[in-house]
Structures are given as structure tokens and as C-alpha cells.
Amino acid sequence: MTHPLDRAVWNALSGRLNRFTTADSGARGRRIDPEVGVFLAAADGSEESLAAMDALALAHPGAGLVERSDGSMADVLPRAVPVARQVDLVQMACSALTPGRREVAYQVLTEADGPAMLALATLTKPGPFRLRTRELGPFIGIKRDGALVAMGGRRLRVNGFTELSGLCTHPDHRGKGYAAALARVIVDEILATGDGAFLHAFADHADSIAFYRRMGFEVRAPMTYTILAEGAA
């Protein structure tokens, strides 16, 4: 058996996040609701799965895939939509936090915060983020003078693991420890449920990887984020 994090997107969309997939997602392919996220995955490399993935990629443009770079699904991509680009990631996991600051005044973000969350994510680019990504959370945030300046939350969920995601800080408020404090709150809550925590970081962002290592995360696998073009091949 493979580890549940080896195919985190497929395992999440066909399991704990099934309710967020599009209505026409079949048993062989899954696409998260485009207003919630970008993820697309196939059950395996069979012809049936490839056909299902093709149909979903065409019906819901702007999809992205995340698979292990060294795994059996690394080269299994839709045939009906070309690849726009690929980005190297690392998947990191944590079963225990190192000691560190958690004290920060934060609030749980609501539907009313959706536009501000999207604006902050668009500015800082922590990864793919949509107007309704908040629904995968909860997400928490820090506000200053009524403006959202930092946030983080949860995204993928597979058996035994929950993903830390969307962690970002407005450039004018960096260096104050907001991201670290929010991350520790979120991961502490994940661990308290009995799940392990995991995340995906850009492989060429050495500072980000070091930041997460200081909290107790370790790299477990190389991943590739494949961004599909908007139109058919």
C-alpha cells in the first residue's frame, strides 16, 4: 500500500473532500469545484481514468495536478489540454511542533472576509487560491486597522493528515512573526485532532523550507505541480 500523502490530491478529492468536487466527477477522475480550487486527479493511469480526467479538464478549465515527482503518476496527465508549466514542490510533514510563539490576536475568517482573503493571496502568491477556498478551512487571520494582513488555514484532508495552506503575510507587515504564530495555532489544532500535519512548499524557496523545518516539519517527498493551459490542445 502507498502512503496516503503520496497521492494527497486524489485521496482528498475521493475521500474527505468529496463534497467539494464537481457534480460530474466520476469514479475515475475528480475535479474540485473551480470556485474552491484548481485540483484535478485521476484514480490511476488506466484509459478510463485518462478519459475521465480529459473530460473534467475540458469542462472546468484552469486545473492543476500535484503528484509525486518520483511516483507512478508523475507522467499521467490529461491529453485534451496542454501543460502550461510545471513547478517543483516539496511535501513536508509534521507530527510534533517545536517550542515557539503561539500568542497572537487572530480571528476565524468568514464569508465576509472572502474578497480580502483572495486579494491577499493574489498579492503574496502562497499557492493557488480561489474566492471559496476559505470553505476548505477554517482559515484564521490577523487584521490591523480593519485590514487583513496575515492568514493561514487548512486545505487538503486525507486519512490521518490535514494540510496547512494559504499561509501568507502582507509585505508591509512581514518580520513581525505573524505567519509563524498563525501556523503554530493551525498545526497545534490539527495535531490535537489526531491528524498529522503536512504542507507543500516551492522547492526553490529555501527560506520557506527552513521556516517550516524550525517548526518541526521535515521534507518527505518531491512533488510536481502541473498547471494546465486554459484551452484544449
Side-chain angles (χ1 to χ4, degrees):
M1 293 181 63
T2 61
H3 193 283
L5 292 182
D6 287 345
R7 301 210 61 218
V9 171
W10 170 256
N11 289 330
L13 298 188
S14 61
R16 293 169 68 183
L17 297 187
N18 178 60
R19 66 189 178 94
F20 290 104
T21 57
T22 56
D24 58 341
S25 292
R28 311 304 300 177
R30 298 281 172 176
R31 170 68 158 98
I32 199 166
D33 185 325
E35 293 186 1
V36 176
V38 303
F39 292 128
L40 170 69
D44 50 40
S46 68
E47 181 60 33
E48 294 80 5
S49 295
L50 286 170
M53 189 160 54
D54 279 347
L56 290 166
L58 287 170
H60 307 285
L65 298 85
V66 176
E67 298 286 354
R68 277 192 70 137
S69 305
D70 57 355
S72 61
M73 295 292 288
D75 298 320
V76 179
L77 300 171
R79 301 160 298 185
V81 178
V83 171
R85 64 190 181 99
Q86 293 186 305
V87 180
D88 292 331
L89 307 175
V90 292
Q91 185 184 80
M92 306 182 74
C94 173
S95 59
L97 280 169
T98 59
R101 172 193 173 198
R102 289 186 179 84
E103 296 77 16
V104 63
Y106 68 88
Q107 57 188 271
V108 177
L109 301 176
T110 69
E111 183 178 359
D113 297 302
M117 296 171 70
L118 180 60
L120 183 60
T122 301
L123 174 67
T124 58
K125 296 179 172 56
F129 199 92
R130 298 293 182 266
L131 184 61
R132 290 177 51 211
T133 299
R134 177 193 59 80
E135 296 178 19
L136 298 173
F139 277 75
I140 59 175
I142 297 171
K143 294 183 180 180
R144 292 293 178 263
D145 298 322
L148 182 66
V149 300
M151 69 174 184
R154 277 147 272 205
R155 186 172 60 179
L156 296 178
R157 289 172 168 82
V158 302
N159 289 339
F161 297 89
T162 296
E163 182 188 27
L164 167 67
S165 183
L167 189 67
C168 56
T169 304
H170 191 285
D172 293 343
H173 293 268
R174 289 174 181 163
K176 301 176 182 179
Y178 291 164
L182 289 177
R184 287 182 176 278
V185 170
I186 296 162
V187 173
D188 195 44
E189 291 177 351
I190 291 171
L191 298 179
T193 70
D195 273 6
F198 75 105
L199 59 86
H200 294 99
F202 294 110
D204 61 352
H205 287 196
D207 288 347
S208 295
I209 294 170
F211 167 83
Y212 290 119
R213 283 189 186 277
R214 288 193 293 271
M215 279 192 286
F217 282 86
E218 292 296 337
V219 173
R220 72 165 300 274
M223 312 294 286
T224 300
Y225 173 37
T226 300
I227 304 165
L228 301 180
E230 293 286 340

